[in-house]
């Protein structure tokens, strides 16, 4: 019985681990998918035409006109009420003035600026809701008012939805709500849209519209830059440790340093990067991709060293003996025989470290990352900071002015980052499996 | 081990010429010892290995055969704690003098290992490896060298169509012949072979043995083996090692038919080992 | 034996072997230079560690000159941006400790059990599947965990916190209770024989099991009744940090368990011990140093983590009341550094800037010491011959 329960508990622990992975990735993948495939409204197609020049111009203009036509009754009702409001007495005005203004704003939120009104400066104000799911949320805000019911003092306030139509009951505006509810599809024209260019588009108005190219590119720059510094250092150190170092004091000190470096919290790397690369030796006047790459390189260095050393040590001794018996010197043997044989293993470690560098946030907060920025040209990486996926996920999820409005962008970024990192890791796993197969026979 | 001496072929006198330097000794050991961390693995052996003949070293496992062989091209330098004393000379030059260039030594003394160890590269690159590190760059010259080496190693006909294939795809016997080709591609004077056929099947073994018969025209060959029929078949001279000591050294016919030492006789008749 | 016959051939041989004095010197100089360059490059990690310590300490020291250390360590009042700035970091230290403790409670039992399962219980083919899952858990970037904690987990906790907690508690504690019952009843009746043993086993299972069941039911009642005011709290962060520390704990302790020799296990089986007995009495004790090192590394992972705590801990710099109340928001050292440096950045030289380096120094020292400790433990174990 002890035996059985023991096994069961162990298996449960493993199953729990599986479950946590599924719980973690499930919702993220499900919703992240929505950044790429969703129901786009007519506003989306208008935006794409205006800002990116995409789509069939004639058709979209016709569609926009058609949608505008179906929206006309809404604006007519509102205009009528506006006139009515002006004519009525003070009481009436003070009763409906504020609610009507609120309604006007909500409608603008849903449909974009009313015909004839002036164009807002911010891009987010120039268009209505581009996504059908968001449009429905906005419609809900028009149709219902959220109120909290505090009548039961023993509990927290409970949310109740009050139809906004009740507010305007008996006025000329009352039909508006039924009209919106029934005709919203005609007014917004949702259609299933595949937006794969989400990855390669720049963003408009701090991610209200558009894609994540600057972030993606910044992540590439940072990760690859980090590897440019970490790989030579790491592989040469690994060669030293595996082929040259004996068992001296110095070597064991070196090993201790490597494991200590691996244990340094990532935020401390960030502070160090700020204090050293930027404030002390001024690799760039302020944050830059270069400084961030240096910092990330230090962070992944131990991983590269350890994995490369293992890969080098796994090369059969007989190769080395063969080369030396032909008169090759030690360094020559390393370069011409050992490294090529260890290359797949070293590559595995590089790929894993690449994923690690791409996903780290804390080290780049003070050294490389900004919230909003253009995609950088290669030479600009020496001196300019960049947006990057991990940092912007944090930023959009916590510090953005309209966190709830751009959930799809946040999820899209998260999914992109996860897919990137997992693809790298799966490549590494497959590569490693093939190496071990080869080594076995 | 089957030790039916009657089956042993008497080594015939091979090769038409016995030029003067064939009879001269090329490697001389005098009170030569090798130690691993002060423990002697080879102790005070003295004998001369003749040029352009096949010298076999036999003896029970662990008696220091490989250690002695690896001392000749200083492969033991790689092993931490390995030191030598006494004299081991090649062409009269003390090999352990500080003036000796190990790279030139190893170029002059090729080695074939017990387990075939081709590099995980193409067949061509394997053979061209040695010439390349000694400075050959010209593609045409390299091709010639590769071809000639493979021909001499009796492998050319089998691989000529697929020189760019990975060497690890060859069979064990082919791999070992490739290693021989790789060793002779740098034109050594001496070939050391450490049980070159012990990991191979009988058919490959006999091909390797035939090959050794061919190569002895041009090279001095020192072969370690624990297979006594093999030693008798391929060698001109035989040295019997036992626990680090050289017990007996002489012509193979003499060693196998009329050993002077009791222990040699015991060993080759299979009383131990 | 005849002397060496010096022929023209051997003359040539000899010349080929020797090196001129110049070449010899060149070679040794070259080798020395190469080796020095190699060592210089290989020392980059050593230099990096020294530089990290130097620059963190250099920017931390001014804080002690400006503000001293007393307030920092004893007060819980953290108002760095006020006119009359106050730098009491006690609550922040406490927050770090609390979530680390929480993460340990979540990760260690699960991680060690999973490692045991991987090394001794599951067949090889299943291990091949589980390993990549663990690697994936380790590979997922921390900001993704943070995002999940903030956007998915926190609202969920806020909405149906009580029932969720109860379910979680059942999942974790019910198997543990069963296991504990089994172990206890086994221990209680190990001295007895035959019928008496059976009776004693049944009685003890009923007793101990009943006790555990009652405890679990009470816990359930308590948890279901809870309302969680804010989903961004110490519990949320602890759970997520625990999951993040799992891969480290599993893989390091699995290595330790695997290093316990087959012969030790077989010896135990030969004496008639069951698998569970073998694991508990032989394998785990033999691997305990390795498991200890795994736990230390897991703790390091949890305490050094930034993004999750920054995003989902609530960032309130005060000690929860009562102190073990995991449902209140807390604030950690890492999150304070990340959050405050943005504002302190352009006031380089102020106490506000330097205090963050003091915190970084504390983290660094902690990581360094833990790392040394785990290394020493492992090294000693290796010397004893049982990792
Ligand atoms: N690298 C080494 N370190 C220490 N001792 C060694 C090493 N290689 C071989 N020996 C010892 O030296 C002796 C001779 O070994 P070896 O020359 O390999 O024997 P053989 O090739 O005749 O079987 C053996 O006792 C062996 O244990
Ligand atoms: Mg041997």
């Amino acid at each position: 019985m002890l035996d059985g329960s023991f096994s069961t508990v162990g298996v449960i622990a493993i199953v729990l681990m599986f479950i946590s992975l599924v719980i973690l990735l499930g919702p993220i993948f499900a919703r992240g998918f929505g950044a790429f495939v969703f129901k786009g409204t007519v506003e989306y197609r208008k935006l794409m035409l205006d800002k990116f020049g995409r789509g069939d111009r004639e058709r979209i203009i016709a569609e926009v006109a058609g949608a505008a036509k179906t929206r006309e009754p809404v604006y007519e009702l509102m205009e009528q009420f506006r006139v009515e409001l002006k004519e009525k007495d003070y009481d009436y005005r003070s009763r409906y003035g504020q609610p009507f203004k609120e309604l006007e704003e909500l409608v603008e939120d849903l449909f974009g600026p009313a015909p004839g009104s002036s164009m807002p400066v911010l891009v987010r104000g120039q268009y209505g809701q581009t996504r059908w799911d968001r449009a429905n949320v906005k419609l809900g805000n028009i149709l219902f008012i959220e109120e909290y019911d505090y009548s039961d003092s023993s509990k927290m306030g409970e949310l109740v939805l009050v139809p906004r139509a009740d507010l305007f009951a008996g006025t000329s505006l009352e039909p508006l709500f039924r009209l919106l509810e029934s005709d919203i599809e005609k007014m917004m024209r949702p259609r299933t849209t595949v937006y794969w260019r989400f990855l390669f588009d720049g963003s408009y108005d701090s991610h209200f519209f558009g894609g994540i190219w600057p972030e993606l590119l910044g992540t590439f720059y940072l990760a690859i830059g980090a590897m440019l510094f970490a790989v030579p250092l790491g592989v040469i150190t690994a060669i030293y440790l595996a082929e040259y170092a004996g068992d001296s004091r110095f070597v064991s000190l070196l090993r201790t340093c490597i494991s200590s470096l691996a244990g340094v919290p990532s935020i401390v790397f960030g502070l160090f990067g700020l204090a050293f690369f930027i404030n002390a030796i001024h690799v760039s006047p302020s944050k830059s991709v270069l400084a961030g790459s240096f910092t990330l390189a230090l962070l992944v260095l131990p991983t590269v060293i350890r994995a490369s050393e293992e890969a080098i040590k796994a090369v059969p001794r007989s190769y080395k003996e063969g080369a030396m018996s032909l008169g090759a010197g030690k360094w020559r043997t390393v370069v011409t025989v050992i490294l090529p044989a260890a290359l797949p293993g070293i590559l595995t470690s590089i790929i894993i470290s690449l994923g690690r560098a791409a996903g780290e946030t804390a080290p780049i907060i003070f050294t490389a990352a900004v919230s909003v920025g253009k995609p950088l040209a290669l030479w600009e990486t020496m001196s300019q900071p960049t947006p990057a996926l991990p940092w912007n996920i944090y930023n959009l999820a916590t510090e953005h002015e309209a966190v709830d409005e751009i959930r799809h962008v946040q999820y899209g970024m998260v999914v992109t980052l996860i897919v990137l990192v997992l693809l790298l890791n799966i490549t590494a796993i497959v590569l490693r499996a093939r190496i071990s197969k080869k080594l076995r026979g | 081990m089957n030790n039916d001496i009657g089956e042993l072929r008497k080594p015939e006198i091979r090769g038409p010429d016995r030029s003067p330097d064939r009879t001269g000794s090329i490697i001389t050991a005098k009170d030569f010892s090798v130690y691993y961390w002060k423990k002697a693995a080879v102790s005070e052996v003295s004998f001369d290995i003749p040029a352009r003949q096949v010298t076999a070293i036999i003896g029970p496992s662990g008696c220091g055969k490989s250690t002695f062989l690896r001392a000749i091209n200083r492969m033991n330098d790689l092993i931490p704690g390995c030191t030598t004393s006494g004299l081991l000379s090649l062409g009269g030059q003390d090999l352990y003098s500080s003036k000796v260039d190990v790279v030139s030594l190893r170029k002059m003394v090729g080695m074939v290992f017990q387990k075939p160890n081709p590099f995980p590269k193409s067949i061509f690159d394997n053979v061209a490896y040695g010439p390349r590190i000694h400075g050959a760059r010209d593609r045409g010259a390299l091709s010639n060298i590769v071809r000639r080496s493979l021909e001499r190693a009796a492998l050319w006909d089998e691989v000529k169509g697929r020189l760019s294939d990975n060497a690890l795809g060859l069979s064990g016997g082919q791999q070992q012949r490739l290693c021989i080709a790789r060793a002779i591609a740098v034109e050594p004077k001496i070939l050391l072979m450490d049980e070159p056929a012990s990991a191979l099947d009988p058919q490959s073994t006999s091909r390797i043995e035939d090959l050794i018969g061919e190569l002895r025209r041009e090279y001095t060959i020192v072969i370690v083996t624990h297979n006594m029929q093999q030693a008798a078949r391929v060698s001109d001279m035989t040295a019997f090692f036992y626990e680090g000591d050289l017990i007996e050294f002489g012509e193979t016919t003499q060693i196998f038919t009329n050993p002077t030492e009791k222990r040699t006789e015991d060993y080759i008749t299979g009383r131990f080992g | 034996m005849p002397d060496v016959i010096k022929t023209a051939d051997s003359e040539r041989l000899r010349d080929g072997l020797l090196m001129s004095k110049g070449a010899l010197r060149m070679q040794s100089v070259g080798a020395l230079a190469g080796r020095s360059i190699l060592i210089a490059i290989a020392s980059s990690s050593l230099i990096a560690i020294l530089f990290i310590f130097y620059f963190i300490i250099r920017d931390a020291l001014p804080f002690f000159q400006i503000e001293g250390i007393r307030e920092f360590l004893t007060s819980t009042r953290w108002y760095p941006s006020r006119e009359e700035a106050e730098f009491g970091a006690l609550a922040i230290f406490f927050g770090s400790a609390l979530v680390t403790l929480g993460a340990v409670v979540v990760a260690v039992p699960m991680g060690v059990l999973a490692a045991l399962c991987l090394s001794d219980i599951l067949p090889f083919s299943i291990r091949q599947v589980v390993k990549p899952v663990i690697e994936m858990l380790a590979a997922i970037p921390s900001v993704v965990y943070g995002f999940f904690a903030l956007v998915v987990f926190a609202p969920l906790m806020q909405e149906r916190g009580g029932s969720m907690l109860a379910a979680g508690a059942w999942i974790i504690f019910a198997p543990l209770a069963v296991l504990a019952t089994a172990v206890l009843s086994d221990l209680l009746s190990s001295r007895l024989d035959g019928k008496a043993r059976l009776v004693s086993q049944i009685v003890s299972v009923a007793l101990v099991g009943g006790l555990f069941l009652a405890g679990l039911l009470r816990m359930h009642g308590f948890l279901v009744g809870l309302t969680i005011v804010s989903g961004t709290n110490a519990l949320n962060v602890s759970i997520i940090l625990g999951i993040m520390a799992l891969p480290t704990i599993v893989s390091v302790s699995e290595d330790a368990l695997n290093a316990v020799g087959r012969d030790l296990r077989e010896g135990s089986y030969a004496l008639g011990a069951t698998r569970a007995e073998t694991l508990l009495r032989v394998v785990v004790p033999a691997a305990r140093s390795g498991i200890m090192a795994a736990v230390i590394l897991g703790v390091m992972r949890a305490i050094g983590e930034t993004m999750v705590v920054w995003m989902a801990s609530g960032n309130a710099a005060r000690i929860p009341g009562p102190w073990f109340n995991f449902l209140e928001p807390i604030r950690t050292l890492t999150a304070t550094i990340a959050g405050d440096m943005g504002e302190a950045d352009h006031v380089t030289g102020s106490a506000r800037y330097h205090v963050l380096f003091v915190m970084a120094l504390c983290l660094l020292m902690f990581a360094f010491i833990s790392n040394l400790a785990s290394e020493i433990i492992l090294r000693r174990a290796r010397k004893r011959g049982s990792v």
Side-chain angles (χ1 to χ4, degrees), chain B residues 36 39 41 60-67 79:
Chain B
Y36 294 112
K39 198 180 142 279
S61 134
C63 68
K65 306 181 296 284
S66 299
T67 304
I79 298 169

Side-chain angles (χ1 to χ4, degrees), chain B residues 32-43 67 71 76-86 96:
Chain B
F32 181 68
S33 311
V34 185
Y35 310 89
Y36 294 112
W37 305 111
K38 305 273 157 66
K39 198 180 142 279
V42 171
S43 43
T67 304
N76 289 332
D77 290 10
L78 297 178
I79 298 169
C82 184
T83 51
T84 63
S85 72
Y96 285 83

Side-chain angles (χ1 to χ4, degrees), chain B residues 62 65-67 114 194-195 224:
Chain B
K65 306 181 296 284
S66 299
T67 304
Q114 179 169 7
D194 191 349
E195 311 197 18
V224 164

Side-chain angles (χ1 to χ4, degrees), chain C residues 368-383:
Chain C
F368 191 72
I369 292 169
S370 311
N371 191 56
L372 281 187
S374 77
E375 245 185 37
I376 290 170
I377 290 173
L378 281 179
R379 203 173 296 163
R380 274 213 197 124
R382 229 169 273 142
K383 243 183 222 153

Side-chain angles (χ1 to χ4, degrees), chain B residues 172-210:
Chain B
Q174 289 173 322
Q175 287 189 3
Q176 194 59 300
R177 275 180 283 145
L178 179 66
C179 290
I180 294 174
R182 185 176 70 184
I184 58 188
V186 293
E187 316 227 311
K189 295 278 181 293
I190 299 165
L191 264 184
L192 308 177
M193 298 184 168
D194 191 349
E195 311 197 18
S198 68
L200 304 180
D201 58 288
Q203 210 172 347
S204 308
T205 303
S206 85
R207 292 206 64 162
I208 299 278
E209 286 175 9
D210 290 347

Side-chain angles (χ1 to χ4, degrees), chain A residues 68-84 100 107 114-115 172-173 176 179:
Chain A
K69 195 145 194 83
T70 56
R71 291 177 194 178
E72 259 168 29
V74 175
Y75 290 115
E76 269 165 25
L77 278 172
M78 281 166 63
E79 183 57 39
Q80 199 180 325
F81 189 72
R82 204 173 287 124
V83 174
E84 197 178 301
F100 181 62
V107 170
S172 62
L173 208 55
L176 176 100
L179 183 67

Side-chain angles (χ1 to χ4, degrees), chain C residues 334-352:
Chain C
T334 50
T336 308
I337 298 173
D340 284 13
M341 186 49 95
E343 294 148 53
D345 197 9
H346 34 89
V347 279
T348 309
S350 67
R352 246 187 112 184

